[in-house]
Amino acid sequence: MKINEDYSDIERQIKDLGQFLETCTDKNQYYSAASSFGILNYLYCLRYGNEFVSGEVADNITRKGMKLYQEILENEKSVFLRNKQFHKDTFFENFFGPSSSFLKVCRGSYLKKMKSSEKTKLKTGEDKEILEAFFKESFPEGSDILGELLERGHLFKFFDEDDEFSSSNGFMTFNRCDNAANVFLKDDVCSLSSLVTLVHELGHVYDFSDSVRTFTDEEKARYALGPYAEVMSSYYQQLFLDYLISNGIRTEEATVAFFELYSSFFYNLDNALLLSLVSDDEYRLIVGSDFKKREVISLLRKSSLAEDYDFDDNYAWTVMSGTKEIGYSYGILLSNMLIDGSISKDDWFSLRAKEFDSSSLTSIGFSKDKANKCLVKRMDTFMKK
């Protein structure tokens, strides 16, 4: 599978977005386009060492885009705080117990054996064979999505060796002007891990492509910062791992990928729990301000709000965004319930554009106890040995 290292189409997109922004008067459309402009311009810089558009034009777009971002972020803070007790109860229920069981297996000989197993490169054509069979069984839209990405040359090489932009192995950005996605991968599609990353990003493309048809401009603008943006990507990523294991395809590598996914989940869930424990004023201060985890823990240790909580100092140096932790936590919890059938896909699609509201989420079948039950069930699929 060929990954595009030529950024000429990104140059075109940056130009088109810049021209659109010159005359755009709708603030939600402006924010969406400015976000795409800024991301693509920065990625171009990582690729070639300089921004494609710089100077006053880029500065003006960035300044106005950041102002709109702060408005959306402030609203998301208020939405979180209105539902703070619900979040806290959900995160508590699903962190304690499951994380302990997970940690025991991580320290055991079974996982060590899995991780030490030799990982071989995919054979010529194996990536296509695996994906076609998976799409046919579980993700029929995925075939057309990947085909369009390849046809347009929008499956790009991600040049970010020092993790300046993202520590992940891939990501997706959606160009609202083109109504088309750009997927970036750090690695060529030559390993099972890179296939797992690709399927996760295809889930994002499916989700955001549907949002173009069904969301209002305001809903589109705030979606990426809300708690629901990682649900469909996590859903298809988990279905893909299920498919591999149930069909005996690179089972050991797929099992390790499951552990890596859930290790990331519990890390984010722990951080999300911290955010639900701080005071409202501290939460508003933390979100979007590059607070490190150790600084958040320090705030909590000075208060009586979390006196029963045993703080995990792992990764204490990492920066907490205040939004991604919530999104990745609900991404796994809700995708588990979709896979289990506890929440129907139709009900989920009717809800996901709306602002987070605990009563609305409960109305389609979500509860902390059901989420916990589905979480334990999912973990059993790859921890049973």
Side-chain angles (χ1 to χ4, degrees):
M1 189 180 304
K2 183 67 174 176
I3 296 182
N4 190 5
E5 297 188 14
D6 179 3
Y7 276 27
S8 58
D9 191 71
I10 291 179
E11 293 179 6
R12 176 197 63 78
Q13 291 184 60
I14 295 171
K15 286 180 182 177
D16 291 349
L17 286 162
Q19 292 173 358
F20 172 81
L21 289 165
E22 286 179 4
T23 58
C24 180
T25 57
D26 182 279
K27 70 174 186 178
N28 292 307
Q29 292 181 13
Y30 192 98
Y31 169 72
S32 295
S35 297
S36 298
F37 176 92
I39 291 171
L40 293 175
N41 207 25
Y42 184 68
L43 291 172
Y44 184 92
C45 181
L46 290 177
R47 173 73 174 92
Y48 296 110
N50 58 277
E51 294 178 328
F52 182 67
V53 176
S54 59
E56 187 176 354
V57 173
D59 290 344
N60 287 339
I61 291 173
T62 300
R63 192 179 303 111
K64 186 173 180 180
M66 282 301 299
K67 182 180 178 181
L68 295 172
Y69 165 79
Q70 289 297 334
E71 289 180 13
I72 296 171
L73 187 61
E74 285 303 315
N75 181 68
E76 287 302 316
K77 292 178 185 180
S78 297
V79 172
F80 178 88
L81 292 174
R82 286 200 299 270
N83 297 276
K84 185 179 179 183
Q85 188 61 49
F86 181 88
H87 292 310
K88 178 181 174 181
D89 293 344
T90 298
F91 300 153
F92 255 107
E93 181 70 21
N94 287 279
F95 183 74
F96 294 105
S99 64
S100 298
S101 300
F102 180 78
L103 188 59
K104 287 179 182 177
V105 176
C106 286
R107 290 171 174 167
S109 59
Y110 173 65
L111 182 59
K112 290 179 182 178
K113 179 182 177 182
M114 293 293 101
K115 286 188 172 181
S116 64
S117 300
E118 183 179 357
K119 297 177 179 63
T120 58
K121 286 187 176 183
L122 297 172
K123 300 174 184 176
T124 302
E126 188 179 1
D127 54 347
K128 183 179 179 181
E129 179 183 341
I130 291 174
L131 287 175
E132 284 182 349
F134 167 65
F135 291 151
K136 184 177 181 180
E137 179 174 305
S138 303
F139 189 11
E141 301 87 353
S143 180
D144 289 339
I145 291 170
L146 179 57
E148 184 175 348
L149 284 171
L150 293 171
E151 183 179 347
R152 295 172 67 108
H154 282 197
L155 184 60
F156 291 103
K157 179 77 172 179
F158 182 20
F159 295 88
D160 188 25
E161 295 179 0
D162 298 324
D163 293 339
E164 292 182 34
F165 181 77
S166 173
S167 60
S168 65
N169 292 320
F171 73 95
M172 187 278 299
T173 180
F174 201 87
N175 183 338
R176 298 291 187 187
C177 289
D178 278 1
N179 286 335
N182 300 284
V183 169
F184 294 82
L185 300 177
K186 280 186 179 178
D187 303 317
D188 292 333
V189 185
C190 59
S191 67
L192 189 72
S193 176
S194 59
L195 273 188
V196 173
T197 299
L198 175 59
V199 170
H200 179 95
E201 300 310 324
L202 294 180
H204 277 306
V205 178
Y206 171 73
D207 192 22
F208 276 75
S209 297
D210 180 80
S211 75
V212 169
R213 300 188 297 271
T214 59
F215 287 19
T216 66
D217 287 334
E218 180 182 352
E219 290 166 345
K220 293 173 190 174
R222 68 165 185 258
Y223 189 60
L225 289 178
Y228 294 151
E230 293 294 332
V231 174
M232 295 312 299
S233 55
S234 299
Y235 173 75
Y236 285 114
Q237 181 176 355
Q238 293 206 76
L239 286 183
F240 183 53
L241 294 173
D242 282 351
Y243 168 78
L244 294 171
I245 291 174
S246 63
N247 286 280
I249 301 170
R250 295 180 174 261
T251 306
E252 292 184 352
E253 292 177 63
T255 301
V256 171
F258 245 129
F259 273 95
E260 290 172 345
L261 174 63
Y262 274 72
S263 178
S264 175
F265 162 66
F266 282 117
Y267 164 75
N268 282 297
L269 187 61
D270 180 48
N271 288 350
L273 180 55
L274 294 178
L275 292 169
S276 72
L277 292 171
V278 297
S279 70
D280 291 4
D281 288 342
E282 287 169 340
Y283 171 79
R284 288 189 178 278
L285 180 64
I286 291 166
V287 177
S289 300
D290 292 336
F291 263 66
K292 290 184 172 59
K293 182 177 180 179
R294 65 169 179 263
E295 295 173 311
V296 178
I297 292 174
S298 178
L299 288 173
L300 284 167
R301 282 178 170 153
K302 293 176 182 177
S303 73
S304 60
L305 292 172
E307 53 191 17
D308 296 327
Y309 185 76
D310 184 19
F311 294 104
D312 180 5
D313 288 316
N314 289 330
Y315 304 103
W317 52 269
T318 55
V319 173
M320 294 176 63
S321 77
T323 57
K324 290 181 179 179
E325 297 85 359
I326 311 300
Y328 282 113
S329 296
Y330 277 111
I332 293 295
L333 294 176
L334 285 163
S335 64
N336 286 345
M337 296 186 73
L338 285 167
I339 292 169
D340 181 72
S342 299
I343 293 176
S344 77
K345 204 170 177 182
D346 287 343
D347 285 343
W348 170 245
F349 270 71
S350 71
L351 174 73
R352 78 193 204 287
K354 301 174 183 176
E355 285 186 341
F356 188 98
D357 176 71
S358 58
S359 60
S360 296
L361 191 57
T362 301
S363 72
I364 66 168
F366 182 90
S367 73
K368 60 185 178 64
D369 295 324
K370 290 180 182 177
N372 181 265
K373 182 178 179 181
C374 290
L375 173 60
V376 172
K377 183 178 179 180
R378 290 294 299 156
M379 289 170 62
D380 283 345
T381 64
F382 62 93
M383 287 172 53
K384 57 188 177 183
K385 294 186 180 182

